[in-house]
Amino acid sequence: NQSLLDEYEEAYKNIKDQYKGLRYYDVTVTRDDNSVIYDTVINYEKLDMDKLREIEPDIEGQDDIYKNNKLMLKTWWEFSKDMGMTCKGV
């Protein structure tokens, strides 16, 4: 349904805009005839975690995925899966 795809595309673009200017957090929104893809590439080694937490202050479980201001990868994968995301390791 193109109307539904329009809604998803707009919602994903609005989410993307929240991260504008956050270096090392790169988002691409791609749409074809049947899907909308929100693809995120994050370099956690260089990312300003304080700025990220300003953007995402109220994500449920967020405090559990960080330890000493570092992302705990295993916990992030579990959190992402619970949120319905599909993650690929590099």
Side-chain angles (χ1 to χ4, degrees), residues 3-76:
S3 176
L4 186 58
L5 289 174
D6 290 343
E7 287 182 47
Y8 273 97
E9 182 178 24
E10 183 66 25
Y12 284 145
K13 286 181 177 181
N14 288 335
I15 294 168
K16 176 185 176 179
D17 286 346
Q18 293 178 31
Y19 297 91
K20 196 177 226 175
L22 182 60
R23 294 179 65 197
Y24 309 108
Y25 194 104
D26 302 313
V27 177
T28 305
V29 178
T30 308
R31 177 175 174 173
D32 62 24
D33 292 335
N34 299 312
S35 64
V36 178
I37 299 170
Y38 183 92
D39 186 41
T40 310
V41 177
I42 306 167
N43 183 335
Y44 283 103
E45 290 182 15
K46 295 181 178 180
L47 182 69
D48 184 332
M49 296 301 289
D50 291 330
K51 286 186 180 183
L52 177 64
R53 292 174 81 94
E54 287 175 17
I55 295 168
E56 302 179 338
D58 297 324
I59 291 180
E60 182 179 335
Q62 180 172 340
D63 290 333
D64 298 335
I65 64 173
Y66 297 99
K67 184 174 183 178
N68 299 324
N69 212 28
K70 298 284 184 185
L71 180 78
M72 304 306 294
L73 187 58
K74 180 180 178 192
T75 308
W76 171 248

